[in-house]
Amino acid sequence: MRSSARSSAAENSRGISAHVLTLHRRLYHAFNLGCKNWEKTKKWHCPDFEIQKLVIRSIDAFLECISSEISQHPLVKDSVDDMAEALESILESKSQPLMRLACDVSVKMANVLPGSMLQSKVLDLIGPLAVLLSAQELQVALTCATALNAILSKLSSRKDSKVLQILKETKAVSFLVCNINRFSVDDKPIEYFQEMASLLSKILWRWPPFRFCVCTDSKFLNTLDAAKFMCENSAKVAVLQLYSTLALCRNGADKILESGEALLTMMVACMDCSNSLSVRVEAFKLAQCLALSRTGCIKMMNICSEPLVKAVIMAIRNWNSQSEKLAKTQMHVVKEACRLASITRWAGDHHQYFWKEGVDRVLLDLLLDNYDEIHQMLLEASVNDLAITVQLRLGLNFKLFLRPYVWDILGGLAVNCAENFNRGMHKKEFQLKVLIICVCLAFIDSTGIPHRTSQISPTYVVEGESAARAVVMMVYSTSKYIASMARSILSKLLQSNGRDYLENLVKTIKLVYGSEFAIPGNLQIVVSLMSLACHSSLPKYRKLIIKCEGIETLIAFIRWWLKNPVRVKRASLVPHLQGHFTEQICCFHGAEEWEGEDMFLLFSLWVLAELVPHSALKNTYQFEDQIVQELKELCCGNMFSPGSRWYAAYILCFFGIYGFPSKMGKRIGKALDEIENADLRLDLVNQEAVYVHEVILMVRCPLLLPLRESILAEKSSSGDDVKQDLQRKVLNSVQLSAHVDRQSLLKLLEFVYLGYLHGYDDLVKNLKILSKHCKLDGLLKMLHRRAPNWETPIPRFDLSPALDPAKHHFSDLLVEANTTELVHWKCGSCFASVPHLHVHKVVLESSSDYLHALFQSGMQESHLKTIKVPVSWDSLKKLVSWFYSDQLPAPNFGCMWDNLDPEEKLEEIQSYLELCWLAEFWFIEHLNEECYEIVVSCLNFSTNLPAKVIQVAADLSQWKLVQVAADHLAPLYHLLRNSGELDALDSNLVEMVRAASVRLSQEGSSNQ
């Protein structure tokens, strides 16, 4: 026994029974048989089989007597580390007769002791247990899985990085996958599959890097596919959980959805009430994981939209129809069903099935008890009389925890409705009316707005954001029927004089940017902005907000946000979304949520967009030019959410700017007034002509081109014709209709080249006619100043279609890569054997000052029909992609990246290093910045990559990146120097790493 343990034994024995003390003494007697000198050995060790057996039995007996009352006793706490060390030693000895017994005791230890006690020594047990997952003896492997399941369930997240490393070193995931694959072959018991699958799910949930190797294992996916037909509930739960954890990865979700109808049919069947509660819960969770993205939701709905919606509605409806005692046991099921029903936030055909299945009545039953009584008694009542009864019933309902989900479902249904939606056509108008009253009352109560009803229910702040959001979605619904009903009801429920409340809302927004003290919380800011948006939909309150300096306040707030962006995810604000799947996802790149993390910005722009048309902003505000410029820059920024960019563009419409300013448009717009490379003349009836570039019109406004394009396309099937087009400049002409005037045409071309145009009211009428003829629906919508619909995608300025082989006859230039890697490369449009791409001078010179100077120099180089680009083929493809779309394909930094070895990662970013150098040489500043940011991100995501990147970056004279790599290597300088890993680097580079290490040490000393 340790000396410290001896000295404190008497003190620690208080409150412990004699039986426990006896078992404790026997435990340490067994420990002492293994190792007498604890102070020198530090860890318990004994190779003797009998002593190991005695120790295991002593630990087992001691754990058996520990009750919840004494689990926190000092005597127990002081014994935990010693027991864990002994078990670790015995497990590492791999004595076959003792393995199962040691694993059983590990399970008991994890189950009996509180999680706080296990944290200090839990890592010592994970390694040996993980190794034993490969044991041939079934019970040993099974018990190890059970023990690891219990331990990981109590593991603190602070240990995640260390456990990740242990699991990698022990190849635990590979063993689990192998065990599951052998399940059907070796005819093992169902408990074996359930335990292995449960442990694998737990690991994949907490450590995303393992997902890639699992979801790319075709044998494992086939095994899992076969396992979904097992009848046992425990097996169904295990299979559903595994699929859910794989679906948390975008690649995994895609693979699952590619498997087709069978799995989704099984998933929907598991939602049925004939299954156990645990099976139903996991089925709903799997569907939620598959619908984490818009594309995933659409794919799933295309396969099983109607049956899935029916299953959701049935789960909620059945819960309402059951007795209260039975219903309480199923709360978890209905909660997950409501979470799944929130897929109404995505537009799609599933909305029609929700209405068809009576979602409005189902939601009412969740909110109100005995809705039928309300329907019978108050069918002809006024809104205010109906609101009094509804509010009383809302206060009596005990299902408060479901309300935020109800508001989310309702908001999604409202905002994604078809324009001609009319519930009155289905004799359900009263139900919808009551639903709108419910959410308006919840919104009013949660925000503290005075209203006309005499009954005041408690304020439920937690549901305030969801209720406010739902009201916003309804008063701005695409359905005129819902929007008008919601605005009418909201107006009647609000007091006639809400000036004081609106002044307080405006003051709340002012506090954000104008005060160092008493700054509102994020949730209060969001709800205040949503509340302003709701009030702005009503004319009399809109006027009050303008009088309360609402426009000035919002402009100041927007400017403050742009200088100090506060990025907030909705899931971090509202309790009912916290701790959900979104915190565990990987490989979901690109923001699919319309509001993204710009909630403050989006809703402030939304309110401003409602106020601006009803104010004298252009005449009374001296800072018009400044705010317009800031809004134009906001439209250009890909770092902003689609919703924010759309409302910025919508506001610009009222300043005579129609469209989306973009970096791509700014580049291509340079060619609008340059006729040197123009290859098409547009002739007007008054003998005037406008010179343009055929390739740009072909992509951006094809209806201005004549039908001869199809003739040219037929000619392009001959390689000689393409070659002739490259060798001579042909100027074609098109005679335009007499209805096209020069001024309107120039403005339309401004939109085609820049992505937006400046136009005043006297031009708009003719522009609308011309835009309609050219089927430029996006421009036409903006010319009519129509507010954007929720989830409307941002129109892209993309010339990539011009690279299609069928369009090669428009090409006037070839670009070749400096590569020999594509030996068997062949072009389908010409006979050139060197890897190349067909491009257009107008696009390239608009993006590069170097190429512009080259083509306009008048020297021999300006007449080149082929340019040799000193980069690899992969780099050339990325370069051309950027020229034509302003999009640079970035590495996938999810679980796929984590599974690449250092050489593969270096190969992945080699092209970005090359493009960094080329962009510097060709004076393409934006491309250089983008490549630089991508390389820096790669270095941030990889600890072993900087040592390989630093030399490549130096060879390309990219000294900024060399310094970044040196800074990443600085903490490891002494380790790398002693191991010889720096020997391959130039001496100057080693010196840079050493200097960075010195600076890091000095900064650490100064901060102490």
Side-chain angles (χ1 to χ4, degrees):
M1 186 177 186
R2 294 182 180 180
S3 58
S4 59
R6 288 195 194 98
S7 61
S8 59
E11 182 180 347
N12 289 349
S13 63
R14 295 175 184 175
I16 296 292
S17 67
H19 177 62
V20 174
L21 288 173
T22 299
L23 293 174
H24 183 264
R25 284 193 294 270
R26 291 177 180 174
L27 174 65
Y28 275 85
H29 173 71
F31 285 158
N32 287 334
L33 291 175
C35 184
K36 304 276 180 146
N37 194 342
W38 287 86
E39 299 300 330
K40 290 184 179 180
T41 311
K42 300 296 183 184
K43 284 190 176 183
W44 188 91
H45 178 71
C46 180
D48 186 271
F49 173 81
E50 292 300 330
I51 294 178
Q52 288 182 350
K53 187 175 181 180
L54 176 62
V55 167
I56 292 175
R57 288 181 172 175
S58 299
I59 295 173
D60 184 53
F62 183 65
L63 290 172
E64 189 68 36
C65 72
I66 296 176
S67 61
S68 57
E69 290 78 12
I70 67 169
S71 61
Q72 296 287 351
H73 194 278
L75 190 75
V76 177
K77 289 182 178 180
D78 292 345
S79 306
V80 172
D81 286 359
D82 295 336
M83 290 189 290
E85 288 173 357
L87 282 174
E88 177 193 5
S89 177
I90 295 171
L91 288 169
E92 287 178 342
S93 69
K94 297 183 181 179
S95 176
Q96 288 299 323
L98 293 178
M99 284 302 96
R100 183 178 175 185
L101 186 58
C103 292
D104 285 335
V105 174
S106 299
V107 173
K108 182 177 288 187
M109 186 175 178
N111 289 331
V112 169
L113 298 177
S116 57
M117 286 189 188
L118 293 172
Q119 301 306 315
S120 61
K121 286 293 180 181
V122 69
L123 299 181
D124 296 335
L125 290 177
I126 292 176
L129 288 170
V131 170
L132 288 173
L133 288 172
S134 63
Q136 295 299 313
E137 187 180 342
L138 182 145
Q139 285 302 325
V140 172
L142 178 59
T143 313
C144 279
T146 305
L148 285 170
N149 258 320
I151 291 172
L152 295 182
S153 297
K154 294 186 176 182
L155 181 70
S156 167
S157 59
R158 293 191 298 270
K159 304 285 186 181
D160 277 3
S161 59
K162 293 182 178 178
V163 175
L164 173 62
Q165 192 59 35
I166 293 173
L167 294 175
K168 283 182 178 179
E169 292 172 354
T170 56
K171 300 181 180 180
V173 171
S174 297
F175 293 150
L176 287 170
V177 169
C178 182
N179 289 345
I180 292 172
N181 285 337
R182 283 166 33 197
F183 164 73
S184 57
V185 177
D186 297 347
D187 195 27
K188 299 181 185 298
I190 195 67
E191 294 79 14
Y192 182 86
F193 173 84
Q194 187 271 332
E195 204 65 53
M196 295 296 171
S198 176
L199 177 56
L200 183 57
S201 296
K202 197 174 267 84
I203 292 174
L204 296 180
W205 172 270
R206 292 185 68 165
W207 294 280
F210 292 116
R211 293 173 189 162
F212 179 75
C213 62
V214 176
C215 68
T216 54
D217 188 323
S218 57
K219 183 178 180 182
F220 172 79
L221 293 178
N222 290 335
T223 301
L224 199 56
D225 186 61
K228 70 177 182 280
F229 296 109
M230 289 190 289
C231 300
E232 294 82 355
N233 284 332
S234 61
K236 287 182 179 179
V237 168
V239 170
L240 291 167
Q241 285 178 340
L242 260 180
Y243 274 121
S244 293
T245 52
L246 291 177
L248 292 174
C249 169
R250 179 66 174 268
N251 301 316
D254 289 343
K255 282 187 172 292
I256 291 172
L257 291 168
E258 285 170 7
S259 64
E261 192 173 343
L263 172 62
L264 297 185
T265 301
M266 170 262 192
M267 176 188 74
V268 174
C270 288
M271 298 175 182
D272 189 76
C273 58
S274 60
N275 294 286
S276 68
L277 294 180
S278 58
V279 171
R280 299 179 71 195
V281 165
E282 295 304 329
F284 283 119
K285 285 184 177 180
L286 172 56
Q288 293 169 45
C289 291
L290 293 173
L292 283 171
S293 68
R294 182 194 295 108
T295 53
C297 180
I298 291 173
K299 288 179 181 178
M300 182 171 69
M301 291 296 106
N302 287 340
I303 298 173
C304 61
S305 184
E306 186 170 11
L308 187 143
V309 171
K310 282 184 177 179
V312 170
I313 296 297
M314 190 64 68
I316 303 174
R317 182 181 286 132
N318 285 349
W319 184 62
N320 281 311
S321 64
Q322 293 171 353
S323 66
E324 183 174 329
K325 182 177 180 180
L326 181 60
K328 285 183 178 180
T329 65
Q330 296 196 0
M331 282 186 179
H332 199 28
V333 172
V334 74
K335 184 178 179 180
E336 296 303 330
C338 287
R339 275 182 166 168
L340 178 56
S342 296
I343 57 174
T344 56
R345 69 186 184 278
W346 305 122
D349 293 339
H350 53 288
H351 282 259
Q352 63 177 314
Y353 296 117
F354 273 106
W355 290 113
K356 179 181 177 182
E357 294 298 320
V359 65
D360 40 359
R361 176 55 193 267
V362 170
L363 295 181
L364 277 173
D365 288 337
L366 287 179
L367 296 170
L368 304 171
D369 293 330
N370 299 319
Y371 164 75
D372 289 331
E373 291 183 8
I374 298 176
H375 185 271
Q376 294 172 5
M377 294 167 45
L378 300 171
L379 183 60
E380 303 298 330
S382 68
V383 168
N384 285 300
D385 290 340
L386 187 57
I388 293 172
T389 302
V390 167
Q391 185 134 22
L392 180 63
R393 296 295 180 94
L394 283 172
L396 296 174
N397 189 279
F398 71 94
K399 306 159 191 166
L400 301 181
F401 73 99
L402 290 176
R403 286 190 187 174
Y405 301 107
V406 173
W407 307 145
D408 284 353
I409 296 165
L410 186 58
L413 288 168
V415 81
N416 289 304
C417 263
E419 189 173 348
N420 60 354
F421 173 86
N422 188 336
R423 198 61 171 159
M425 296 169 59
H426 304 282
K427 301 180 180 181
K428 301 291 181 66
E429 183 172 354
F430 185 76
Q431 290 181 179
L432 184 58
K433 182 178 181 180
V434 176
L435 262 181
I436 294 175
I437 290 174
C438 287
V439 70
C440 285
L441 288 174
F443 161 62
I444 289 169
D445 283 353
S446 61
T447 53
I449 305 173
H451 54 96
R452 293 180 177 178
T453 59
S454 57
Q455 300 291 329
I456 306 296
S457 68
T459 297
Y460 302 110
V461 180
V462 293
E463 66 174 296
E465 191 273 348
S466 295
R469 175 181 292 266
V471 175
V472 170
M473 300 301 182
M474 289 191 298
V475 296
Y476 293 102
S477 172
T478 51
S479 164
K480 295 179 181 179
Y481 170 76
I482 291 180
S484 61
M485 181 185 288
R487 292 182 186 189
S488 174
I489 290 172
L490 182 62
S491 179
K492 291 174 182 176
L493 293 179
L494 294 173
Q495 276 190 354
S496 58
N497 182 13
R499 185 182 181 96
D500 291 342
Y501 173 72
L502 292 176
E503 284 181 348
N504 287 331
L505 280 180
V506 174
K507 286 179 182 178
T508 299
I509 304 305
K510 284 183 178 179
L511 285 174
V512 177
Y513 63 85
S515 173
E516 296 181 4
F517 309 100
I519 298 176
N522 289 342
L523 183 59
Q524 185 181 354
I525 295 170
V526 168
V527 174
S528 296
L529 289 169
M530 289 179 178
S531 185
L532 282 172
C534 293
H535 285 81
S536 296
S537 69
L538 307 175
K540 65 178 179 180
Y541 294 104
R542 186 190 303 134
K543 292 178 182 178
L544 283 175
I545 295 172
I546 293 173
K547 288 181 180 179
C548 294
E549 300 182 343
I551 292 180
E552 297 96 323
T553 300
L554 288 164
I555 290 175
F557 176 83
I558 291 166
R559 285 180 174 157
W560 168 84
W561 192 95
L562 291 173
K563 292 178 181 177
N564 312 277
V566 180
R567 308 228 176 243
V568 179
K569 288 184 177 181
R570 185 179 179 228
S572 67
L573 286 182
V574 289
H576 70 289
L577 296 182
Q578 292 173 5
H580 202 41
F581 303 118
T582 52
E583 298 177 6
Q584 303 295 334
I585 63 176
C586 69
C587 303
F588 284 83
H589 301 288
E592 288 197 306
E593 293 285 353
W594 206 59
E595 63 190 304
E597 298 179 0
D598 300 349
M599 296 179 71
F600 291 179
L601 183 61
L602 169 60
F603 287 105
S604 57
L605 288 168
W606 194 323
V607 181
L608 185 61
E610 285 299 305
L611 302 180
V612 166
H614 306 281
S615 70
L617 183 63
K618 291 193 290 185
N619 299 326
T620 59
Y621 285 81
Q622 299 177 354
F623 43 71
E624 175 198 342
D625 291 341
Q626 186 178 350
I627 187 64
V628 166
Q629 185 58 36
E630 289 171 346
L631 291 174
K632 287 172 68 176
E633 291 174 0
L634 201 160
C635 289
C636 290
N638 290 328
M639 72 288 296
F640 302 113
S641 69
S644 298
R645 294 172 65 191
W646 251 116
Y647 269 97
Y650 176 51
I651 294 171
L652 287 174
C653 291
F654 299 99
F655 294 93
I657 299 172
Y658 303 93
F660 272 87
S662 66
K663 294 178 181 177
M664 181 76 176
K666 187 176 181 180
R667 298 203 313 261
I668 299 301
K670 296 175 184 177
L672 181 59
D673 298 322
E674 296 183 1
I675 64 173
E676 287 82 358
N677 285 324
D679 54 4
L680 183 65
R681 189 182 70 233
L682 304 178
D683 294 328
L684 298 162
V685 292
N686 58 359
Q687 307 275 315
E688 292 182 305
V690 177
Y691 293 88
V692 294
H693 304 83
E694 197 165 8
V695 62
I696 295 176
L697 261 65
M698 180 266 296
V699 176
R700 298 277 294 157
C701 189
L703 289 183
L704 272 181
L705 293 175
L707 294 176
R708 64 181 183 80
E709 180 185 356
S710 59
I711 300 173
L712 286 175
E714 292 175 7
K715 289 183 178 180
S716 69
S717 60
S718 168
D720 290 335
D721 289 319
V722 174
K723 187 175 181 180
Q724 289 173 11
D725 285 343
L726 288 173
Q727 292 175 346
R728 58 188 176 88
K729 182 177 179 179
V730 180
L731 185 64
N732 300 303
S733 64
V734 175
Q735 182 66 49
L736 297 181
S737 166
H739 298 290
V740 179
D741 65 281
R742 179 181 175 83
Q743 201 171 11
S744 297
L745 176 62
L746 290 176
K747 283 299 173 184
L748 187 75
L749 292 174
E750 187 179 326
F751 174 81
V752 169
Y753 276 74
L754 279 84
Y756 71 99
L757 62 89
H758 289 261
Y760 298 103
D761 292 343
D762 56 342
L763 274 175
V764 167
K765 182 178 179 181
N766 288 339
L767 272 173
K768 287 178 181 176
I769 296 172
L770 190 54
S771 300
K772 185 176 182 180
H773 171 76
C774 294
K775 295 186 178 180
L776 297 175
D777 296 334
L779 175 59
L780 190 61
K781 179 177 180 178
M782 302 195 104
L783 289 171
H784 282 284
R785 292 175 176 170
R786 295 174 188 158
N789 296 333
W790 189 265
E791 294 293 339
T792 303
I794 298 289
R796 286 188 58 199
F797 195 123
D798 187 7
L799 298 177
S800 298
L803 298 172
D804 188 271
K807 306 292 193 302
H808 280 178
H809 56 275
F810 287 101
S811 172
D812 57 0
L813 186 68
L814 299 182
V815 287
E816 294 181 353
N818 180 25
T819 181
T820 57
E821 59 197 53
L822 301 171
V823 180
H824 303 293
W825 189 88
K826 184 180 180 181
C827 178
S829 301
C830 67
F831 301 114
S833 59
V834 178
H836 65 270
L837 292 169
H838 292 258
V839 294
H840 311 83
K841 283 186 178 181
V842 62
V843 177
L844 269 61
E845 71 173 345
S846 298
S847 304
S848 168
D849 292 340
Y850 169 82
L851 293 177
H852 182 268
L854 178 69
F855 295 146
Q856 302 300 324
S857 65
M859 296 186 293
Q860 182 179 355
E861 289 82 358
S862 64
H863 303 292
L864 291 174
K865 298 305 177 183
T866 301
I867 294 181
K868 295 186 182 296
V869 185
V871 294
S872 67
W873 175 247
D874 187 47
S875 299
L876 181 65
K877 288 192 296 182
K878 286 184 172 69
L879 174 66
V880 171
S881 172
W882 184 85
F883 276 140
Y884 281 77
S885 67
D886 200 41
Q887 300 287 322
L888 195 62
N892 188 331
F893 288 123
C895 59
M896 182 185 298
W897 178 263
D898 294 327
N899 283 270
L900 297 177
D901 63 40
E903 291 298 331
E904 290 174 320
K905 290 178 180 178
L906 180 62
E907 183 179 348
E908 183 76 17
I909 67 170
Q910 182 84 31
S911 58
Y912 301 104
L913 291 165
E914 287 185 343
L915 290 178
C916 246
W917 166 80
L918 183 69
E920 209 172 67
F921 177 51
W922 279 8
F923 301 103
I924 313 176
E925 184 179 351
H926 290 309
L927 178 61
N928 181 270
E929 291 173 357
E930 287 188 47
C931 291
Y932 173 84
E933 292 297 331
I934 289 175
V935 175
V936 171
S937 297
C938 291
L939 294 176
N940 291 337
F941 279 96
S942 306
T943 56
N944 50 9
L945 193 57
K948 296 182 176 297
V949 168
I950 191 170
Q951 186 65 63
V952 178
D955 293 340
L956 294 169
S957 301
Q958 296 302 297
W959 299 111
K960 278 177 60 180
L961 287 173
V962 170
Q963 187 59 62
V964 172
D967 292 339
H968 277 77
L969 293 172
L972 304 172
Y973 169 69
H974 296 288
L975 178 64
L976 294 172
R977 183 192 61 185
N978 295 334
S979 65
E981 291 185 53
L982 297 179
D983 294 347
L985 300 181
D986 294 343
S987 58
N988 291 335
L989 298 180
V990 176
E991 176 56 26
M992 290 183 70
V993 177
R994 188 198 66 79
S997 177
V998 172
R999 285 195 303 273
L1000 184 64
S1001 300
Q1002 291 173 344
E1003 290 170 2
S1005 301
S1006 62
N1007 292 332
Q1008 290 180 356

